[in-house]
Amino acid sequence: MIPNAKPTASHFINGAYVEDKTGAPIDVIYAATGELVAQVHEATEALVDSALDAATAAQKIWAAMTGTERGRILRRAADIMRERNRDLSVLETIDTGKPLQETLVADATSGADALEYFGGLAASLTGEHIDLGGDFVYTRREPLGVVVGIGAWNYPTQICCWKAAPALACGNAIVFKPSEETPLCALQVAEILTEAGAPAGLINIVQGRGAVGAKLVTDARVAKVSLTGSVPTGRKVAAAAAEGLKHVTMELGGKSPLVIFDDADLDDAVSGAINGNFYSSGQVCSNGTRVFVQKGIKEAFLTRLADRLKGAVIGDPLDENVNFGPMVSARQLDIVKTYIAKGQAEGARLVAGGNCPDGAGNFIEPTVFADVSDDMTIAREEIFGPVMAVLDFDTEAEALARANDTEFGLAAGVFTRDIHRAHRMVAGFEAGTCYINSYNDAPVEAPFGGSKLSGIGRENSKAAINHYSELKTVYVGMGKVEAAF
Ligand code: NAD
């Protein structure tokens, strides 16, 4: 029995739920069974307009408050999220199909961390004083105005909070459009922030597919766009935002390398590869899907990995014993199956998984290919599913060159006991987020984001403040004003 996941209404605008069924329907399907669990409707132009109007008005009220007051509301929202963690986690599982075992510790909790962290920073955001020996300059750190957030479907609560928390801490208002695959969770974030004291209109959620996102991006009232999505969408959104010279943050796709040297702790390296390929059924942007294993330990690595894969419990993600859920959608399952077929056709050796268990739902087993070469499709393109490509290498220089031979640059990892080599490798990686003897951790205290085609800007940490605010320079003359004539 799936718990009721029907939202109060499709949208959250100006502090309240809003329904308007004239927009095209968006079905919410439970990925484990194919059942329809809820339906929302795309926002009409009038609704998008009202959300942007509400945000514009609320931003002025919000920016006039002190940082301490703003921070208090964000931290209160964090507390409410934590109190409701179980209900929010169940909703996240229904929205995405990710195991409840995961969502209980990774989604609302991570969203709450962001609200707490940026709530804590809000009161200490300042400009600076620059002495010029008489005259002086001071800078004011000011909000950008109305921010548009557009989300992917893999972490609907976290993505909404990772954008809203720094945006609001800096004094902006936000209009967020969730992915059409997972429209439910962001509504809860808006409801909670409003309950915590955010003025009506400060956070607005509008549903829709790409066209609704495109409408938001080009609106003249919008100062900044933050997208989490694929590279093709990122190109379109960045180009549209550039037309209005809007600020952008782009959190896009990846095909990240994970390099395992023969001196690594093998169990840790296998754990890193599992975390970096099979968490959230592989639907994680920073996944280390190209696993380079030094030749001397290749067979030992594959044997240990095969052994550990027996621990995967595939099934209904609402069952807390399950640790491996379905793909978010039938469409995503088809994409993954196509890549697995390509891997086989191009000569990679399938060493684990590859099959869809019998029964309903978008399930596919955790899949491992060995003997993968750099030019194979499964080693070049982002699959966004549980497909690990294992490649082997001889030398450090070779591993680094091959790791960087990609247009993406989101993340990279290295497992080795040699600390000099570890630091040499991360210095050489062309990636925004690197790991040594770990993989895929994303604490709010640390910057997160990509290089090359994987993105622009950084989320989380103090670095995010620069992407959600700007400095105004004020020159103060203290003497007589000289002029040429
Ligand atoms: P997607 O690019 O298909 O969609 C992302 C969002 O953009 C959706 O909300 C969609 O409706 C919207 N959109 C589509 N076209 C648009 C347009 N023209 N204008 C404005 N908005 C538009 O991505 P997805 O399939 O939802 O998510 C998977 C992708 O997201 C993967 O590539 C993954 O790597 C990436 N991702 C990146 C990060 C990160 O932090 N770097 C995190 C999660 C996911």
Short mmCIF file of all heavy atoms in Angstrom, two decimals, residues 62 65-76 78 112-127 141 161-162 164-171 443-447 458-469:
data_model
loop_
_atom_site.label_atom_id
_atom_site.label_comp_id
_atom_site.label_asym_id
_atom_site.label_seq_id
_atom_site.Cartn_x
_atom_site.Cartn_y
_atom_site.Cartn_z
N TRP A 62 11.81 41.11 2.11
CA TRP A 62 12.83 40.20 2.68
C TRP A 62 14.18 40.91 2.77
O TRP A 62 14.89 40.80 3.77
CB TRP A 62 12.90 38.98 1.76
CG TRP A 62 13.79 37.85 2.13
CD1 TRP A 62 14.86 37.40 1.41
CD2 TRP A 62 13.67 36.96 3.24
NE1 TRP A 62 15.41 36.30 2.00
CE2 TRP A 62 14.70 36.00 3.13
CE3 TRP A 62 12.80 36.87 4.33
CZ2 TRP A 62 14.89 34.98 4.06
CZ3 TRP A 62 12.99 35.85 5.26
CH2 TRP A 62 14.02 34.92 5.12
N MET A 65 14.81 43.13 5.73
CA MET A 65 15.01 42.53 7.05
C MET A 65 16.51 42.38 7.33
O MET A 65 17.32 42.40 6.42
CB MET A 65 14.33 41.15 7.09
CG MET A 65 12.82 41.24 7.09
SD MET A 65 11.98 39.69 6.65
CE MET A 65 12.46 38.65 8.00
N THR A 66 16.86 42.22 8.59
CA THR A 66 18.28 42.01 8.90
C THR A 66 18.67 40.57 8.56
O THR A 66 17.81 39.67 8.51
CB THR A 66 18.56 42.23 10.40
OG1 THR A 66 17.90 41.20 11.15
CG2 THR A 66 18.10 43.60 10.86
N GLY A 67 19.95 40.37 8.39
CA GLY A 67 20.44 39.02 8.14
C GLY A 67 20.08 38.08 9.28
O GLY A 67 19.80 36.89 9.06
N THR A 68 20.12 38.59 10.48
CA THR A 68 19.78 37.75 11.65
C THR A 68 18.34 37.26 11.55
O THR A 68 18.06 36.08 11.80
CB THR A 68 19.98 38.55 12.95
OG1 THR A 68 21.33 39.02 12.97
CG2 THR A 68 19.71 37.71 14.18
N GLU A 69 17.45 38.16 11.16
CA GLU A 69 16.03 37.75 11.04
C GLU A 69 15.85 36.73 9.92
O GLU A 69 15.15 35.73 10.07
CB GLU A 69 15.15 38.98 10.76
CG GLU A 69 15.01 39.91 11.94
CD GLU A 69 14.40 41.26 11.57
OE1 GLU A 69 14.68 41.79 10.46
OE2 GLU A 69 13.66 41.81 12.38
N ARG A 70 16.52 36.97 8.81
CA ARG A 70 16.41 36.02 7.69
C ARG A 70 16.97 34.65 8.10
O ARG A 70 16.37 33.61 7.84
CB ARG A 70 17.18 36.53 6.47
CG ARG A 70 16.56 37.75 5.82
CD ARG A 70 17.04 37.91 4.39
NE ARG A 70 18.46 38.21 4.28
CZ ARG A 70 18.98 39.42 4.19
NH1 ARG A 70 18.17 40.47 4.20
NH2 ARG A 70 20.27 39.59 4.08
N GLY A 71 18.12 34.70 8.75
CA GLY A 71 18.77 33.46 9.15
C GLY A 71 17.90 32.66 10.12
O GLY A 71 17.84 31.42 10.04
N ARG A 72 17.22 33.37 11.02
CA ARG A 72 16.39 32.68 12.02
C ARG A 72 15.28 31.88 11.31
O ARG A 72 14.98 30.75 11.68
CB ARG A 72 15.77 33.72 12.96
CG ARG A 72 15.09 33.14 14.17
CD ARG A 72 14.53 34.24 15.06
NE ARG A 72 15.56 35.19 15.47
CZ ARG A 72 15.45 36.53 15.44
NH1 ARG A 72 14.32 37.09 15.01
NH2 ARG A 72 16.43 37.30 15.82
N ILE A 73 14.70 32.47 10.28
CA ILE A 73 13.61 31.79 9.55
C ILE A 73 14.15 30.56 8.81
O ILE A 73 13.55 29.49 8.82
CB ILE A 73 12.91 32.79 8.61
CG1 ILE A 73 12.10 33.79 9.47
CG2 ILE A 73 12.01 32.08 7.60
CD1 ILE A 73 11.57 34.99 8.73
N LEU A 74 15.33 30.71 8.21
CA LEU A 74 15.91 29.55 7.51
C LEU A 74 16.23 28.43 8.50
O LEU A 74 15.99 27.25 8.23
CB LEU A 74 17.19 29.96 6.77
CG LEU A 74 17.03 30.98 5.63
CD1 LEU A 74 18.36 31.16 4.88
CD2 LEU A 74 15.97 30.54 4.63
N ARG A 75 16.75 28.81 9.66
CA ARG A 75 17.11 27.77 10.65
C ARG A 75 15.86 27.12 11.23
O ARG A 75 15.83 25.93 11.52
CB ARG A 75 18.03 28.35 11.72
CG ARG A 75 19.46 28.54 11.16
CD ARG A 75 20.45 29.04 12.17
NE ARG A 75 20.20 30.43 12.51
CZ ARG A 75 19.68 30.84 13.66
NH1 ARG A 75 19.37 29.99 14.60
NH2 ARG A 75 19.48 32.12 13.86
N ARG A 76 14.81 27.92 11.39
CA ARG A 76 13.55 27.33 11.87
C ARG A 76 13.02 26.32 10.84
O ARG A 76 12.54 25.24 11.19
CB ARG A 76 12.52 28.45 12.09
CG ARG A 76 11.39 28.07 13.03
CD ARG A 76 10.42 29.24 13.21
NE ARG A 76 10.97 30.35 13.97
CZ ARG A 76 10.74 31.65 13.73
NH1 ARG A 76 9.96 32.02 12.72
NH2 ARG A 76 11.26 32.58 14.48
N ALA A 78 14.83 24.61 8.84
CA ALA A 78 15.69 23.41 8.95
C ALA A 78 15.18 22.51 10.07
O ALA A 78 15.11 21.28 9.91
CB ALA A 78 17.14 23.82 9.21
N ALA A 112 17.94 20.21 5.00
CA ALA A 112 17.96 20.90 6.30
C ALA A 112 19.36 21.43 6.59
O ALA A 112 19.52 22.53 7.13
CB ALA A 112 17.49 19.95 7.40
N ASP A 113 20.38 20.66 6.24
CA ASP A 113 21.76 21.13 6.43
C ASP A 113 21.98 22.44 5.68
O ASP A 113 22.60 23.37 6.21
CB ASP A 113 22.77 20.10 5.90
CG ASP A 113 22.97 18.93 6.84
OD1 ASP A 113 22.42 18.93 7.96
OD2 ASP A 113 23.70 17.98 6.46
N ALA A 114 21.48 22.51 4.46
CA ALA A 114 21.68 23.72 3.66
C ALA A 114 20.96 24.91 4.30
O ALA A 114 21.50 26.01 4.40
CB ALA A 114 21.19 23.50 2.23
N LEU A 115 19.72 24.68 4.76
CA LEU A 115 18.95 25.77 5.38
C LEU A 115 19.65 26.23 6.66
O LEU A 115 19.71 27.43 6.96
CB LEU A 115 17.53 25.31 5.67
CG LEU A 115 16.66 25.09 4.42
CD1 LEU A 115 15.42 24.27 4.75
CD2 LEU A 115 16.25 26.44 3.81
N GLU A 116 20.18 25.27 7.41
CA GLU A 116 20.84 25.61 8.66
C GLU A 116 22.16 26.35 8.40
O GLU A 116 22.47 27.37 9.02
CB GLU A 116 21.11 24.33 9.46
CG GLU A 116 21.66 24.58 10.83
CD GLU A 116 21.71 23.31 11.67
OE1 GLU A 116 21.39 22.24 11.16
OE2 GLU A 116 22.08 23.43 12.84
N TYR A 117 22.92 25.83 7.45
CA TYR A 117 24.23 26.41 7.15
C TYR A 117 24.08 27.85 6.64
O TYR A 117 24.71 28.78 7.15
CB TYR A 117 24.96 25.55 6.12
CG TYR A 117 26.29 26.10 5.67
CD1 TYR A 117 27.44 25.84 6.40
CD2 TYR A 117 26.39 26.87 4.52
CE1 TYR A 117 28.67 26.35 6.00
CE2 TYR A 117 27.61 27.38 4.11
CZ TYR A 117 28.75 27.12 4.85
OH TYR A 117 29.96 27.63 4.44
N PHE A 118 23.22 28.04 5.64
CA PHE A 118 23.09 29.39 5.07
C PHE A 118 22.31 30.30 6.01
O PHE A 118 22.53 31.51 6.02
CB PHE A 118 22.49 29.32 3.66
CG PHE A 118 23.48 28.79 2.66
CD1 PHE A 118 23.38 27.50 2.18
CD2 PHE A 118 24.54 29.58 2.25
CE1 PHE A 118 24.33 27.00 1.29
CE2 PHE A 118 25.50 29.08 1.36
CZ PHE A 118 25.39 27.79 0.88
N GLY A 119 21.41 29.70 6.82
CA GLY A 119 20.76 30.49 7.87
C GLY A 119 21.80 31.02 8.83
O GLY A 119 21.73 32.17 9.29
N GLY A 120 22.80 30.22 9.14
CA GLY A 120 23.87 30.64 10.04
C GLY A 120 24.75 31.72 9.44
O GLY A 120 25.26 32.58 10.14
N LEU A 121 24.92 31.67 8.13
CA LEU A 121 25.79 32.67 7.47
C LEU A 121 25.08 34.01 7.25
O LEU A 121 25.75 35.04 7.12
CB LEU A 121 26.22 32.17 6.09
CG LEU A 121 27.37 31.19 5.96
CD1 LEU A 121 27.69 30.98 4.48
CD2 LEU A 121 28.60 31.69 6.70
N ALA A 122 23.75 33.99 7.22
CA ALA A 122 23.00 35.17 6.75
C ALA A 122 23.36 36.45 7.50
O ALA A 122 23.46 37.52 6.91
CB ALA A 122 21.49 34.90 6.84
N ALA A 123 23.58 36.32 8.80
CA ALA A 123 23.84 37.52 9.61
C ALA A 123 25.25 38.05 9.44
O ALA A 123 25.53 39.19 9.82
CB ALA A 123 23.57 37.21 11.08
N SER A 124 26.13 37.26 8.88
CA SER A 124 27.52 37.74 8.78
C SER A 124 27.94 38.05 7.35
O SER A 124 29.14 38.12 7.07
CB SER A 124 28.47 36.74 9.45
OG SER A 124 28.18 35.44 9.04
N LEU A 125 26.97 38.23 6.47
CA LEU A 125 27.31 38.62 5.10
C LEU A 125 27.54 40.13 5.08
O LEU A 125 26.65 40.90 5.42
CB LEU A 125 26.17 38.26 4.14
CG LEU A 125 25.79 36.78 4.12
CD1 LEU A 125 24.62 36.55 3.18
CD2 LEU A 125 26.99 35.93 3.71
N THR A 126 28.73 40.52 4.73
CA THR A 126 29.06 41.95 4.79
C THR A 126 29.86 42.37 3.57
O THR A 126 30.42 41.53 2.86
CB THR A 126 29.95 42.25 6.02
OG1 THR A 126 31.12 41.44 5.93
CG2 THR A 126 29.23 42.00 7.33
N GLY A 127 29.95 43.65 3.38
CA GLY A 127 30.90 44.20 2.43
C GLY A 127 32.20 44.49 3.17
O GLY A 127 32.46 43.93 4.24
N ARG A 141 27.24 44.23 0.16
CA ARG A 141 26.89 42.94 -0.47
C ARG A 141 25.37 42.93 -0.63
O ARG A 141 24.63 42.93 0.36
CB ARG A 141 27.37 41.78 0.39
CG ARG A 141 27.11 40.45 -0.27
CD ARG A 141 27.88 39.33 0.37
NE ARG A 141 29.30 39.36 0.08
CZ ARG A 141 29.85 38.97 -1.08
NH1 ARG A 141 29.09 38.53 -2.07
NH2 ARG A 141 31.15 39.02 -1.26
N CYS A 161 16.49 22.89 -1.96
CA CYS A 161 17.10 23.55 -0.79
C CYS A 161 18.48 24.10 -1.11
O CYS A 161 18.85 25.17 -0.61
CB CYS A 161 17.20 22.58 0.37
SG CYS A 161 15.61 22.15 1.07
N TRP A 162 19.25 23.39 -1.93
CA TRP A 162 20.61 23.87 -2.26
C TRP A 162 20.54 25.19 -3.03
O TRP A 162 21.50 25.94 -3.05
CB TRP A 162 21.38 22.82 -3.06
CG TRP A 162 21.96 21.70 -2.23
CD1 TRP A 162 21.62 21.36 -0.95
CD2 TRP A 162 23.01 20.81 -2.62
NE1 TRP A 162 22.39 20.30 -0.53
CE2 TRP A 162 23.25 19.93 -1.54
CE3 TRP A 162 23.75 20.64 -3.78
CZ2 TRP A 162 24.21 18.91 -1.58
CZ3 TRP A 162 24.71 19.62 -3.83
CH2 TRP A 162 24.94 18.78 -2.73
N ALA A 164 17.52 27.32 -2.88
CA ALA A 164 16.75 28.29 -2.09
C ALA A 164 17.56 28.81 -0.91
O ALA A 164 17.53 30.02 -0.61
CB ALA A 164 15.44 27.66 -1.61
N ALA A 165 18.28 27.94 -0.21
CA ALA A 165 18.93 28.38 1.04
C ALA A 165 19.95 29.50 0.82
O ALA A 165 19.86 30.55 1.46
CB ALA A 165 19.56 27.18 1.75
N PRO A 166 20.93 29.35 -0.11
CA PRO A 166 21.85 30.47 -0.31
C PRO A 166 21.17 31.68 -0.93
O PRO A 166 21.50 32.82 -0.60
CB PRO A 166 22.93 29.90 -1.24
CG PRO A 166 22.31 28.70 -1.89
CD PRO A 166 21.30 28.18 -0.92
N ALA A 167 20.20 31.42 -1.83
CA ALA A 167 19.50 32.55 -2.47
C ALA A 167 18.79 33.39 -1.40
O ALA A 167 18.92 34.62 -1.38
CB ALA A 167 18.49 32.03 -3.50
N LEU A 168 18.06 32.73 -0.52
CA LEU A 168 17.30 33.47 0.49
C LEU A 168 18.22 34.09 1.52
O LEU A 168 17.98 35.21 1.99
CB LEU A 168 16.27 32.55 1.18
CG LEU A 168 15.22 31.89 0.25
CD1 LEU A 168 14.16 31.16 1.07
CD2 LEU A 168 14.57 32.87 -0.71
N ALA A 169 19.29 33.39 1.90
CA ALA A 169 20.22 33.95 2.89
C ALA A 169 20.76 35.29 2.40
O ALA A 169 20.97 36.22 3.18
CB ALA A 169 21.37 32.98 3.14
N CYS A 170 20.96 35.41 1.10
CA CYS A 170 21.51 36.64 0.53
C CYS A 170 20.45 37.72 0.30
O CYS A 170 20.79 38.81 -0.18
CB CYS A 170 22.21 36.34 -0.80
SG CYS A 170 23.72 35.38 -0.62
N GLY A 171 19.19 37.41 0.56
CA GLY A 171 18.14 38.43 0.43
C GLY A 171 17.38 38.38 -0.88
O GLY A 171 16.66 39.31 -1.23
N PRO A 443 29.22 17.45 1.59
CA PRO A 443 28.78 18.22 2.75
C PRO A 443 28.51 19.67 2.37
O PRO A 443 29.18 20.22 1.48
CB PRO A 443 29.96 18.12 3.72
CG PRO A 443 31.15 17.91 2.83
CD PRO A 443 30.65 17.12 1.65
N VAL A 444 27.54 20.29 3.03
CA VAL A 444 27.16 21.66 2.67
C VAL A 444 28.32 22.64 2.89
O VAL A 444 28.39 23.68 2.25
CB VAL A 444 25.90 22.09 3.46
CG1 VAL A 444 26.18 22.24 4.94
CG2 VAL A 444 25.31 23.37 2.89
N GLU A 445 29.26 22.28 3.75
CA GLU A 445 30.38 23.19 4.05
C GLU A 445 31.36 23.30 2.89
O GLU A 445 32.20 24.20 2.88
CB GLU A 445 31.15 22.68 5.28
CG GLU A 445 30.35 22.65 6.57
CD GLU A 445 29.58 21.35 6.79
OE1 GLU A 445 29.42 20.56 5.84
OE2 GLU A 445 29.09 21.14 7.91
N ALA A 446 31.31 22.37 1.94
CA ALA A 446 32.32 22.32 0.87
C ALA A 446 31.72 22.77 -0.46
O ALA A 446 30.58 22.41 -0.78
CB ALA A 446 32.84 20.90 0.73
N PRO A 447 32.47 23.52 -1.27
CA PRO A 447 31.95 23.89 -2.60
C PRO A 447 31.70 22.64 -3.44
O PRO A 447 32.44 21.67 -3.35
CB PRO A 447 33.09 24.71 -3.22
CG PRO A 447 34.01 25.07 -2.11
CD PRO A 447 33.82 24.04 -1.03
N ARG A 458 29.50 27.42 -8.30
CA ARG A 458 29.58 26.43 -7.24
C ARG A 458 28.35 26.54 -6.35
O ARG A 458 27.89 27.65 -6.06
CB ARG A 458 30.83 26.65 -6.38
CG ARG A 458 32.14 26.38 -7.13
CD ARG A 458 32.30 24.89 -7.46
NE ARG A 458 33.51 24.60 -8.24
CZ ARG A 458 33.55 24.52 -9.57
NH1 ARG A 458 32.47 24.72 -10.30
NH2 ARG A 458 34.68 24.23 -10.19
N GLU A 459 27.86 25.39 -5.91
CA GLU A 459 26.80 25.39 -4.89
C GLU A 459 27.46 25.08 -3.55
O GLU A 459 28.60 24.63 -3.46
CB GLU A 459 25.74 24.35 -5.24
CG GLU A 459 25.02 24.72 -6.53
CD GLU A 459 23.67 24.04 -6.71
OE1 GLU A 459 23.63 22.81 -6.80
OE2 GLU A 459 22.66 24.77 -6.79
N ASN A 460 26.70 25.32 -2.48
CA ASN A 460 27.16 25.04 -1.11
C ASN A 460 28.36 25.90 -0.71
O ASN A 460 28.98 26.55 -1.54
CB ASN A 460 27.50 23.55 -0.94
CG ASN A 460 26.23 22.71 -0.91
OD1 ASN A 460 25.15 23.24 -0.69
ND2 ASN A 460 26.36 21.42 -1.11
N SER A 461 28.64 25.89 0.59
CA SER A 461 29.80 26.58 1.17
C SER A 461 29.67 28.10 1.02
O SER A 461 28.75 28.61 0.39
CB SER A 461 31.11 26.11 0.53
OG SER A 461 31.34 26.77 -0.69
N LYS A 462 30.68 28.78 1.52
CA LYS A 462 30.69 30.24 1.40
C LYS A 462 30.81 30.66 -0.07
O LYS A 462 30.41 31.75 -0.44
CB LYS A 462 31.86 30.82 2.21
CG LYS A 462 31.56 30.80 3.70
CD LYS A 462 32.69 31.41 4.48
CE LYS A 462 33.30 30.36 5.37
NZ LYS A 462 34.54 30.73 6.01
N ALA A 463 31.35 29.77 -0.91
CA ALA A 463 31.50 30.10 -2.33
C ALA A 463 30.14 30.42 -2.96
O ALA A 463 30.06 31.25 -3.88
CB ALA A 463 32.16 28.95 -3.07
N ALA A 464 29.07 29.78 -2.49
CA ALA A 464 27.75 30.01 -3.10
C ALA A 464 27.29 31.45 -2.90
O ALA A 464 26.51 31.98 -3.70
CB ALA A 464 26.73 29.03 -2.53
N ILE A 465 27.75 32.07 -1.82
CA ILE A 465 27.33 33.46 -1.54
C ILE A 465 27.69 34.37 -2.72
O ILE A 465 26.91 35.24 -3.11
CB ILE A 465 28.00 33.97 -0.24
CG1 ILE A 465 27.57 33.10 0.96
CG2 ILE A 465 27.72 35.45 0.00
CD1 ILE A 465 26.09 33.08 1.23
N ASN A 466 28.86 34.15 -3.29
CA ASN A 466 29.27 34.99 -4.43
C ASN A 466 28.38 34.81 -5.64
O ASN A 466 28.31 35.68 -6.50
CB ASN A 466 30.71 34.67 -4.83
CG ASN A 466 31.69 35.14 -3.78
OD1 ASN A 466 31.45 36.16 -3.14
ND2 ASN A 466 32.74 34.37 -3.57
N HIS A 467 27.72 33.66 -5.71
CA HIS A 467 26.85 33.40 -6.86
C HIS A 467 25.42 33.86 -6.64
O HIS A 467 24.60 33.77 -7.55
CB HIS A 467 26.89 31.91 -7.21
CG HIS A 467 28.26 31.43 -7.57
ND1 HIS A 467 28.90 31.82 -8.72
CD2 HIS A 467 29.13 30.62 -6.94
CE1 HIS A 467 30.10 31.25 -8.79
NE2 HIS A 467 30.26 30.53 -7.72
N TYR A 468 25.09 34.30 -5.43
CA TYR A 468 23.73 34.75 -5.16
C TYR A 468 23.68 36.20 -4.65
O TYR A 468 22.67 36.65 -4.13
CB TYR A 468 23.04 33.82 -4.15
CG TYR A 468 22.61 32.52 -4.78
CD1 TYR A 468 23.38 31.37 -4.65
CD2 TYR A 468 21.45 32.44 -5.55
CE1 TYR A 468 23.01 30.17 -5.24
CE2 TYR A 468 21.07 31.26 -6.16
CZ TYR A 468 21.85 30.12 -6.00
OH TYR A 468 21.48 28.96 -6.61
N SER A 469 24.80 36.89 -4.77
CA SER A 469 24.83 38.29 -4.33
C SER A 469 25.83 39.03 -5.20
O SER A 469 26.62 38.41 -5.93
CB SER A 469 25.25 38.39 -2.86
OG SER A 469 26.56 37.88 -2.68
#
